[in-house]
Amino acid sequence: NGEVESPAAKDFKAHAHLFGLEASDLGRRFVSQGKEFMIAGLKPRNRKYPIIATGVSDGRSFKFSEEGIKARLAMYSGQVKA
């Protein structure tokens, strides 16, 4: 498809299991504070907020904690992954 994968996306696929997530969670959508986000990558060296997510409406990047992401994904587990 010609798209270039970011280093954070590669890190997510390689290290998601260390954070209690699956590599297939990359691209999964969730809602936080009324805004929809999509998991875009992982920065494993950032222990407090290692998960990178992109706002669906504006494309801005935000950092999330491991526990915060797991809780939000559990709340929206019925949603289809992007």
Side-chain angles (χ1 to χ4, degrees):
N1 64 7
E3 288 186 30
V4 176
E5 189 172 64
S6 73
K10 288 179 185 176
D11 282 344
F12 190 93
K13 289 179 180 178
H15 304 293
H17 66 282
L18 299 174
F19 295 87
L21 299 166
E22 300 289 330
S24 61
D25 287 328
L26 185 68
R28 192 161 169 197
R29 293 176 184 225
F30 64 93
V31 175
S32 177
Q33 297 181 346
K35 293 179 71 174
E36 188 176 16
F37 294 90
M38 182 173 63
I39 296 176
L42 177 71
K43 292 194 175 183
R45 291 179 186 234
N46 186 347
R47 286 305 203 183
K48 193 168 184 180
Y49 298 104
I51 313 298
I52 307 300
T54 304
V56 172
S57 65
D58 59 13
R60 292 178 59 198
S61 292
F62 293 86
K63 298 182 285 186
F64 288 88
S65 69
E66 170 187 350
E67 293 304 319
I69 285 291
K70 287 195 278 189
R72 286 170 178 89
L73 291 180
M75 288 173 34
Y76 299 100
S77 61
Q79 291 186 353
V80 177
K81 295 179 186 176

